[in-house]
Amino acid sequence: MFEKFTEPARLVLVLAQQAATARNEGHLGTEHLLLALHREGQGVAAQALQALEISPDAILAQLHQVSKASPLEPGDEVRLTPHAKKLLRLSLREAKELGHGLVGTEHLLLALLRMGDGRAFQCLKDLGVNPHQLRQRIIMILSGV
């Protein structure tokens, strides 16, 4: 599946796993992916989040308000949550619908917005983000506007 992802999108997955591990969480959820999308720094998703003045610190502050679940035990692997798995599947659909051959960071963020639920979506809402505005910002960046 990940062979259909761009290098920046693969980096997001690595950064998300690092974020989950740093928080000593045994799951990798949409919230870790959102943080990683911003931390990747160069992709369309990071540009869109930066344009709306959403900082990694603001995302982290929201994540700290969410109780930790499933602590990481020694020897355990970080596992994708059902929401994260759904986000990855939807990102493939987003790329296909836009006529793109590979999944980029923008498709991951568009998939998160399409889902309309999960910790990352709630985090964005709590930060005052209008999902429609963010989607439009991504499309504008993709079209070079």
Side-chain angles (χ1 to χ4, degrees):
M1 172 184 191
F2 299 118
E3 67 276 358
K4 295 180 181 177
F5 284 57
T6 63
E7 283 302 315
R10 289 180 193 175
L11 176 59
V12 165
L13 298 174
V14 171
L15 293 172
Q17 184 167 6
Q18 290 174 353
T21 302
R23 288 178 45 91
N24 195 37
E25 294 179 338
H27 72 279
L28 189 157
T30 59
E31 65 274 20
H32 303 108
L33 289 164
L34 175 61
L35 184 59
L37 283 167
H38 204 311
R39 284 185 172 166
E40 181 273 333
Q42 302 298 315
V44 172
Q47 292 174 44
L49 292 168
Q50 291 164 7
L52 294 179
E53 299 181 359
I54 300 167
S55 72
D57 289 339
I59 295 169
L60 273 173
Q62 288 296 318
L63 294 183
H64 287 304
Q65 293 180 14
V66 177
S67 63
K68 289 184 182 181
S70 64
L72 189 61
E73 300 293 332
D76 283 354
E77 289 184 30
V78 176
R79 299 194 194 299
L80 290 170
T81 65
H83 274 98
K85 288 177 184 178
K86 181 179 178 181
L87 187 148
L88 295 177
R89 284 192 309 272
L90 285 175
S91 69
L92 291 166
R93 183 186 304 169
E94 289 288 345
K96 184 177 179 181
E97 287 179 6
L98 290 172
H100 301 161
L102 296 173
V103 172
T105 63
E106 63 274 20
H107 305 110
L108 292 166
L109 188 53
L110 287 168
L112 188 153
L113 295 172
R114 180 180 285 218
M115 285 176 55
D117 63 357
R119 287 184 176 168
F121 187 82
Q122 188 60 49
C123 176
L124 289 173
K125 285 184 68 174
D126 291 346
L127 290 170
V129 173
N130 177 316
H132 179 72
Q133 272 186 321
L134 182 51
R135 186 174 193 80
Q136 289 306 110
R137 175 66 67 173
I138 294 165
I139 300 302
M140 286 173 55
I141 293 170
L142 287 173
S143 63
V145 177

